[in-house]
Amino acid sequence: MSAALETRGFQASGTDFDAIVVGAGISGLYQLYRLRELGLRVKVLEAGTGVGGTWYWNRYPGARFDSESYSYAYSFSQELLNEWDWTEHFAPQPETLRYLNFVADKFDLRRDIQFRSRVAAAHYDDAARVWDVTLEDGTAYRARFLITAIGVLSAHTMPRIPGVEDFQGQSFHTARWPHDPVSFEGKRVAVIGTGATGVQTIQEVAKTAGHLTVFQRTPNWCTPLHNRKIDKAEMEEIRAGYPEMFKRCQETFACFLHTPDPRSALEVTPEEREAFFEHLYASPGFGIWQGNFRDILNNREANALISDFVAGKIRQRVKDPATAEKLIPKDHGFGTRRVPMETRYYEVYNQPNVRLVDIKETPIQQITATGIETSDAAYEFDIIIYATGFHAITGAFDRIDIRGANGALLKDKWAAGPQTYLGVQVEGFPNMMMLMGPHTALGNLPRSIEYNVEWVTRLIRHMRDNGLTRAEATPAGVESWTNHVRALGVGLLSNEIDSWMTGVNRNVDGKDTRVIARYSGSAPAYRERCDQVSADGFKELALA
Ligand code: NA7
């Protein structure tokens, strides 16, 4: 059959699948579930040996949720909500991975997931209106739709430090942690990196390591997680409250249980302000970041007030004043980078077996066979842990050779920053839909994922029902959405700071300038906009 004829039916002949979903994490699993309901032939291609995405790869010691477990779970199935019990308010990674395996089993998802299958290339064939997808081992598939479920923080990066390959002891990146347990008992351990991952790792490793050395380049503002166990009775209370809780998550700014307080930090009395900060500091989870006064993230004066408050807490908790000062960020305000949630993190630095090395003062010069050399000392280690983060948001796209209608490479198109339509489609890349792509509402990810998947499913259902075989974002649609996203970012203090949230990662070529890669409007506004597009028959897309 000729390529032209193949385009006529929704289900193109000559294809292996109607849709290929790349990634079996929270997005990919749910997309598979929904597309199966439509009766599509779907294959999920997954690089790992199991489901779970982020929760499959990030097995490092201490890995756990920073969002309340129950608010982070899927909400689409009442049966699932009835059957799954969380044991901690902020579940540790093994529990979350068990949960995602439970989901995969419950909905019999595994039969359409192919593991050990890393996608190397995806090229669009515009004559046939299909995607040619090639795995690293050369296996090739054709599908009408390419749906990327490749994660926001999945392309991990090693630091660019001379000698990384030379170290003869054990070394691990946190996002490639081995499946077998690693013992730190009596070992000399180094951790490089003090982001959310580094903080979780450090506080766990410090419990058993013979000696731990933390190499910190930039300190972050960390606040207490206040995790607790959930007993049976409390779990039943939580379950009874699910409808209300999920409703709240739909209404809050970023789908968290927490949402900004309508007051300005500057309009209350100093006593009221202090009391509110104390209350937030003593409350579980992201409240102090996501539920603080409305202007702490966009008004310098308001931001300085909460920064001073948290700095005071660090000074109280760290005994050695010089160490405390090193742990207090001086180049960015509270909440302008992702706030690591901690459990006795600062107290770790009061332990005799823990040392903090400020590598802005004494930079790392090289890694050797036996350890790490800074400008003023040589340290010997048995284990080096790289908690050095990810090429976030666009990194996972850059690692795949994705070429659109006229052979253009997505990576090149996005060289100066991503341009998208609703964070779901890209002009020139028909029939490619992104889940948690750049410019989508992120926030509490599973909440956003469920919406994103349901919207993509609506679009594909619309195409099926109308015999359409090609969907592409228009130049006008992309320009308008990209400009909207950029405008939303104006005035946000976080956009003036280097971090994964602004796309900066100096371990990757060309990623040393800030870009607007995140949508920073409210999740309800995002959904309203997307709902409008679908209610209007997706007329804003070029459909054929
Ligand atoms: P982050 O937050 O990007 O943190 C990475 C850390 O590694 C950070 O402290 C970096 O210092 C440090 N880093 C990176 N490269 C180097 C080199 N070359 N030398 C020394 N130190 C380095 O990643 P995480 O994994 O902690 O967290 C990512 C997100 O995952 C997190 O926000 C959650 O949402 C889940 P820097 O700050 O760049 O000076």
Side-chain angles (χ1 to χ4, degrees):
M1 186 179 274
S2 76
L5 283 176
E6 282 178 14
T7 64
R8 283 193 186 153
F10 174 78
Q11 291 193 317
S13 60
T15 54
D16 301 287
F17 310 105
D18 300 318
I20 284 179
V21 177
V22 187
I26 296 178
S27 304
L29 292 177
Y30 187 43
Q31 188 67 77
L32 168 59
Y33 174 87
R34 284 292 176 209
L35 291 184
R36 242 195 215 166
E37 277 186 339
L38 288 189
L40 264 58
R41 296 170 302 152
V42 189
K43 183 63 86 182
V44 177
L45 300 173
E46 165 57 51
T49 58
V51 300
T54 289
W55 303 101
Y56 167 88
W57 294 104
N58 287 273
R59 297 162 187 261
Y60 61 85
R64 68 170 62 245
F65 283 157
D66 288 334
S67 297
E68 291 74 3
S69 313
Y70 28 90
S71 81
Y72 193 94
Y74 289 117
S75 69
F76 69 88
S77 158
Q78 188 56 48
E79 249 182 53
L80 178 60
L81 293 169
N82 292 344
E83 288 169 16
W84 183 264
D85 289 354
W86 293 100
T87 68
E88 297 187 40
H89 281 266
F90 301 91
Q93 174 271 339
E95 182 168 341
T96 307
L97 189 58
R98 272 201 304 281
Y99 168 72
L100 293 171
N101 275 282
F102 179 81
V103 172
D105 291 335
K106 176 171 174 58
F107 299 108
D108 188 23
L109 298 176
R110 266 176 242 280
R111 67 184 153 88
D112 290 321
I113 306 174
Q114 188 174 306
F115 296 105
R116 296 185 177 83
S117 299
R118 184 173 287 282
V119 172
H123 296 174
Y124 186 66
D125 174 346
D126 209 10
R129 299 184 175 178
V130 296
W131 280 91
D132 287 307
V133 176
T134 313
L135 303 182
E136 268 181 354
D137 69 4
T139 315
Y141 301 107
R142 303 199 99 193
R144 174 72 79 205
F145 298 104
L146 173 71
I147 301 179
T148 62
I150 52 185
V152 179
L153 292 149
S154 54
H156 72 292
T157 47
M158 288 292 284
R160 291 205 221 204
I161 302 174
V164 163
E165 303 300 324
D166 297 341
F167 183 63
Q168 297 296 306
Q170 288 180 291
S171 63
F172 314 99
H173 191 287
T174 46
R176 286 296 177 277
W177 201 263
H179 290 207
D180 295 328
V182 176
S183 167
F184 306 105
E185 211 74 50
K187 301 271 174 60
R188 298 163 304 172
V189 184
V191 175
I192 302 179
T194 50
T197 302
V199 166
Q200 288 189 335
T201 306
I202 289 160
Q203 65 200 16
E204 190 61 29
V205 172
K207 290 179 185 164
T208 56
H211 198 279
L212 169 66
T213 307
V214 175
F215 291 89
Q216 171 189 271
R217 189 164 67 182
T218 313
N220 284 299
W221 298 100
C222 313
T223 50
L225 180 65
H226 296 298
N227 186 27
R228 277 192 301 116
K229 296 262 188 239
I230 300 174
D231 63 18
K232 278 268 169 212
E234 191 178 12
M235 188 60 228
E236 288 317 318
E237 269 172 45
I238 291 170
R239 204 183 328 271
Y242 273 152
E244 203 180 314
M245 185 204 68
F246 287 122
K247 182 167 173 284
R248 175 165 172 77
C249 289
Q250 294 306 303
E251 290 164 358
T252 59
F253 191 86
C255 305
F256 292 110
L257 292 176
H258 319 277
T259 204
D261 187 287
R263 295 171 299 167
S264 159
L266 308 172
E267 76 189 19
V268 297
T269 64
E271 293 73 27
E272 273 178 277
R273 191 165 53 231
E274 191 73 5
F276 188 49
F277 287 163
E278 286 288 358
H279 162 74
L280 291 172
Y281 198 80
S283 304
F286 277 146
I288 195 162
W289 187 29
Q290 298 291 327
N292 213 315
F293 292 112
R294 68 170 146 81
D295 49 358
I296 64 145
L297 301 179
N298 55 26
N299 177 305
R300 266 170 239 288
E301 217 184 314
N303 186 264
L305 291 166
I306 180 68
S307 301
D308 287 349
F309 173 86
V310 179
K313 291 290 182 192
I314 299 171
R315 289 189 184 103
Q316 279 166 21
R317 291 174 58 185
V318 179
K319 285 187 187 145
D320 172 39
T323 305
E325 288 316 305
K326 284 182 186 169
L327 289 164
I328 296 172
K330 303 292 187 309
D331 63 355
H332 68 280
F334 176 82
T336 60
R337 297 173 117 209
R338 207 284 205 175
V339 176
M341 293 277 118
E342 49 87 22
T343 304
R344 300 190 61 72
Y345 173 66
Y346 289 110
E347 286 71 15
V348 158
Y349 296 97
N350 299 333
Q351 290 180 209
N353 67 330
V354 178
R355 147 176 74 198
L356 177 67
V357 176
D358 179 342
I359 53 173
K360 277 214 169 118
E361 246 171 55
T362 55
I364 297 180
Q365 291 187 324
Q366 63 170 333
I367 293 179
T368 64
T370 55
I372 296 177
E373 281 178 19
T374 65
S375 58
D376 78 338
Y379 303 90
E380 304 237 307
F381 296 110
D382 304 303
I383 301 176
I384 299 179
I385 300 174
Y386 298 102
T388 45
F390 302 87
H391 174 192
I393 305 177
T394 54
F397 290 90
D398 284 6
R399 290 186 182 193
I400 304 175
D401 182 74
I402 302 177
R403 290 175 195 270
N406 47 20
L409 191 61
L410 183 64
K411 186 178 172 182
D412 291 346
K413 192 174 175 76
W414 284 355
Q419 299 160 50
T420 78
Y421 175 68
L422 305 176
V424 178
Q425 277 222 297
V426 184
E427 185 218 340
F429 295 76
N431 293 359
M432 179 177 92
M433 284 82 167
M434 302 180 291
L435 301 175
M436 295 296 94
H439 297 175
T440 344
L442 298 176
N444 185 356
L445 286 185
R447 302 281 64 76
S448 306
I449 287 168
E450 283 187 336
Y451 181 79
N452 217 191
V453 164
E454 284 157 17
W455 195 85
V456 165
T457 308
R458 259 185 251 168
L459 170 58
I460 293 179
R461 185 192 300 118
H462 175 84
M463 293 177 72
R464 184 200 61 185
D465 293 351
N466 293 281
L468 300 165
T469 53
R470 191 180 191 280
E472 184 184 0
T474 65
V478 170
E479 193 188 342
S480 144
W481 183 250
T482 305
N483 287 343
H484 176 60
V485 169
R486 287 183 184 151
L488 286 168
V490 173
L492 262 189
L493 299 174
S494 58
N495 285 335
E496 299 171 9
I497 308 292
D498 290 352
S499 76
W500 69 257
M501 300 199 293
T502 49
V504 176
N505 184 329
R506 293 195 171 77
N507 300 313
V508 181
D509 283 337
K511 296 295 164 196
D512 48 7
T513 31
R514 290 176 212 139
V515 294
I516 302 288
R518 289 182 318 139
Y519 166 86
S520 47
S522 79
Y526 175 78
R527 288 193 302 267
E528 196 182 318
R529 177 80 182 86
C530 293
D531 283 349
Q532 193 186 38
V533 173
S534 54
D536 203 26
F538 298 94
K539 287 202 192 78
E540 288 185 24
L541 288 166
L543 295 174

